[in-house]
Amino acid sequence: MNLLIVLAALVFLMFVAYRGYSVILFAPVAAMGAVLLTDPSLVPPLFSSVFMEKMVGFIKNYFPVFMLGAVFGKVIELSGFSKSIVSAVIGVLGRERAVLSIVVVCAILTYGGVSLFVVVFAVYPFAAEMFRQGDIPKRLIPCTIALGAFSFTMDALPGTPQIQNIIPSTFFNTTTWAAPILGLVGSIFVFAVGFGYIENRRLAAQKRGEGYGTALMNEPEPFEEKELPNPWIAISPLVVVGVMNFVLTQVVPRAYGAKHEVTLGDHPIMTQVGPLAAIWAVEGALLLGILTVFVFAWRPVLARFAEGSNAAVAGALLASLNTASEYGFGGVIALLPGFAMVSAALRAIPNPLVNEAVTVTVLAGITGSASGGMSIALAAMSDEFIAAAKAANIPLEVFHRIAAMASGGMDTLPHNGAVITLLAVTGLTHRQAYKDVFVITLTKTAAVFVAIAFFYLTGLY
């Protein structure tokens, strides 16, 4: 019965998310429902002392990253830099290479720090125009954007400032540059297999005589290139974010040490810097990226910054609260007797890296969120993963990279928020386009085990 209660709570949360209900509202309902069925007297104390504590703790650590990432993406959009980058990539690769161009543009924007959701809105008009001109089926646009924005640049490439690569650093005391070789191996695998699959689908459609399509929804206005910023200037804020993230990752621990203490008035303040160094580095890099945009394009950005920043902050609040609610849900579920049975079953997997990969992948799939599923898994089992790492003499950097990549595996199931947003923006349904997105999901999942195999075969990370 205890196991059924936990599984029922997870299925309920997955169901309401699939149906489009707010996770912020229903995550505590699911968690407290499970507690009610286990021991009704524990509902009030666990809600206040566990669910809310976990939720607030997540927001305290990660909301600045969500907010700065959203603002950075918005000023890149307001400045016209995103359009300039897209136009430049198309000019270099050619309009006949529509799939490759869109994947590269999405990868540049995502790795440069632009939010995944912002990338979808920014790139779709250009993808639609290129696919229309190339007479490529529109149903392949979602999987193309997913390959560029939701896969290797989200969690595999070393140094990516996306939240999926930041969360493991606070549990394993690592940096966003952890296990760079494994990240590159996984990235190459995902790109090669994913791009090969989409190209195969494109050629098959071409042989059948299938074109872009007719009577389609949400078709954007044709893109007109005019008065775009210089592409080298446009890409400079992304370069600043990437370079300064690397620099600050090295500088912050040296400047503050493992622990920082100061007394202000009569109040001693002590900060454990290790778990926060990677977060501070990304926050500093994003701030410098935003300032860089203002330096080069302060007129167009300032003219619409009030409206744009309000929208960005609202989006960041919603995204962070969604994930924080799932984190609180995971904290409660992890304390229930039924979860002990789930943990025991997962512990039965003898290999520690495979254990971690399966655990994170399963929970990311159930919650429909890479960051949410990984947060639940690491909050419940990070101590065990660290102990297993020490016992097996495996660097924690490897556990960081495997956790990050596993979170981006089965997260893009049909109820995933990014998938729902992607299909809504492109005007397509799950029936029309999800099958190809799911293949990218399987490719991302396989890449985790490719990286694990590479580590054991070579010892490189």
Side-chain angles (χ1 to χ4, degrees):
M1 179 58 71
N2 288 329
L3 178 61
L4 289 176
I5 289 171
V6 169
L7 293 178
L10 292 172
V11 170
F12 172 75
L13 184 59
M14 182 170 63
F15 173 76
V16 296
Y18 182 80
R19 298 291 295 176
Y21 293 101
S22 171
V23 173
I24 300 172
L25 174 62
F26 281 99
V29 171
M32 293 304 105
V35 176
L36 181 67
L37 294 173
T38 302
D39 186 345
S41 66
L42 294 178
V43 171
L46 286 187
F47 177 75
S48 296
S49 299
V50 179
F51 183 89
M52 291 306 299
E53 287 287 339
K54 293 288 186 181
M55 183 175 179
V56 171
F58 184 92
I59 294 172
K60 180 187 75 172
N61 282 334
Y62 301 115
F63 175 69
V65 177
F66 279 91
M67 182 180 66
L68 290 173
V71 172
F72 178 64
K74 180 57 68 173
V75 295
I76 286 288
E77 176 188 337
L78 295 178
S79 63
F81 285 1
S82 60
K83 291 183 179 180
S84 177
I85 293 170
V86 172
S87 179
V89 171
I90 292 172
V92 171
L93 297 178
R95 291 187 177 274
E96 67 278 5
R97 297 185 180 90
V99 172
L100 180 60
S101 296
I102 296 304
V103 171
V104 169
V105 167
C106 290
I108 290 172
L109 293 174
T110 311
Y111 191 69
V114 180
S115 166
L116 309 178
F117 292 93
V118 174
V119 170
V120 172
F121 286 97
V123 172
Y124 169 58
F126 307 97
E129 179 69 16
M130 293 184 68
F131 276 51
R132 187 188 299 115
Q133 291 184 13
D135 206 26
I136 303 170
K138 183 183 179 180
R139 61 182 175 79
L140 295 179
I141 290 180
C143 65
T144 303
I145 293 178
L147 176 61
F150 299 173
S151 59
F152 58 97
T153 53
M154 184 180 81
D155 51 51
L157 274 182
T160 176
Q162 299 296 330
I163 193 70
Q164 293 81 4
N165 189 39
I166 297 172
I167 290 174
S169 66
T170 60
F171 290 95
F172 297 129
N173 198 21
T174 50
T175 74
T176 56
W177 299 89
I181 296 176
L182 292 185
L184 290 172
V185 168
S187 298
I188 293 169
F189 177 86
V190 172
F191 175 81
V193 175
F195 179 70
Y197 170 79
I198 298 172
E199 278 294 290
N200 181 266
R201 295 285 287 168
R202 181 186 68 81
L203 292 172
Q206 188 180 59
K207 289 180 180 178
R208 292 194 305 268
E210 180 184 358
Y212 181 74
T214 58
L216 298 168
M217 297 177 60
N218 289 13
E219 281 297 282
E221 293 295 323
F223 170 58
E224 298 180 3
E225 298 185 26
K226 57 180 181 180
E227 298 181 8
L228 292 178
N230 184 292
W232 292 109
I233 293 177
I235 203 172
S236 62
L238 308 183
V239 174
V240 167
V241 171
V243 171
M244 293 311 300
N245 180 26
F246 178 79
V247 171
L248 291 175
T249 297
Q250 313 301 318
V251 170
V252 168
R254 295 176 185 173
Y256 289 95
K259 183 171 65 174
H260 181 263
E261 297 182 64
V262 65
T263 300
L264 297 176
D266 296 328
H267 301 283
I269 301 172
M270 185 185 72
T271 305
Q272 295 291 341
V273 177
L276 299 173
I279 296 177
W280 290 356
V282 171
E283 291 169 354
L286 288 170
L287 276 172
L288 292 171
I290 293 169
L291 290 175
T292 303
V293 176
F294 271 98
V295 167
F296 288 114
W298 65 273
R299 287 182 185 276
V301 173
L302 196 59
R304 300 168 56 195
F305 185 69
E307 177 186 355
S309 60
N310 285 337
V313 171
L317 277 169
L318 181 61
S320 60
L321 284 173
N322 271 323
T323 306
S325 293
E326 292 171 344
Y327 190 59
F329 169 84
V332 172
I333 294 299
L335 297 177
L336 300 182
F339 189 81
M341 300 174 67
V342 175
S343 298
L346 292 172
R347 289 190 196 98
I349 302 174
N351 185 284
L353 290 177
V354 175
N355 187 324
E356 181 191 43
V358 172
T359 301
V360 174
T361 295
V362 167
L363 291 176
I366 290 173
T367 60
S369 167
S371 53
M374 177 166 50
S375 297
I376 293 172
L378 295 185
M381 303 179 69
S382 61
D383 290 340
E384 296 178 25
F385 292 148
I386 292 172
K390 292 179 180 178
N393 197 28
I394 299 173
L396 287 177
E397 287 82 358
V398 176
F399 275 80
H400 172 125
R401 185 56 54 209
I402 295 304
M405 291 177 62
S407 75
M410 298 302 290
D411 66 314
T412 44
L413 291 179
H415 59 293
N416 172 261
V419 170
I420 293 171
T421 300
L422 175 60
L423 294 176
V425 170
T426 56
L428 296 165
T429 66
H430 280 77
R431 178 175 294 181
Q432 290 173 308
Y434 181 72
K435 180 176 72 173
D436 297 310
V437 174
F438 183 63
V439 173
I440 303 301
T441 297
L442 295 177
T443 302
K444 294 191 299 176
T445 303
V448 182
F449 299 99
V450 169
I452 292 173
F454 180 86
F455 171 73
Y456 281 117
L457 289 172
T458 67
L460 300 175
Y461 64 93

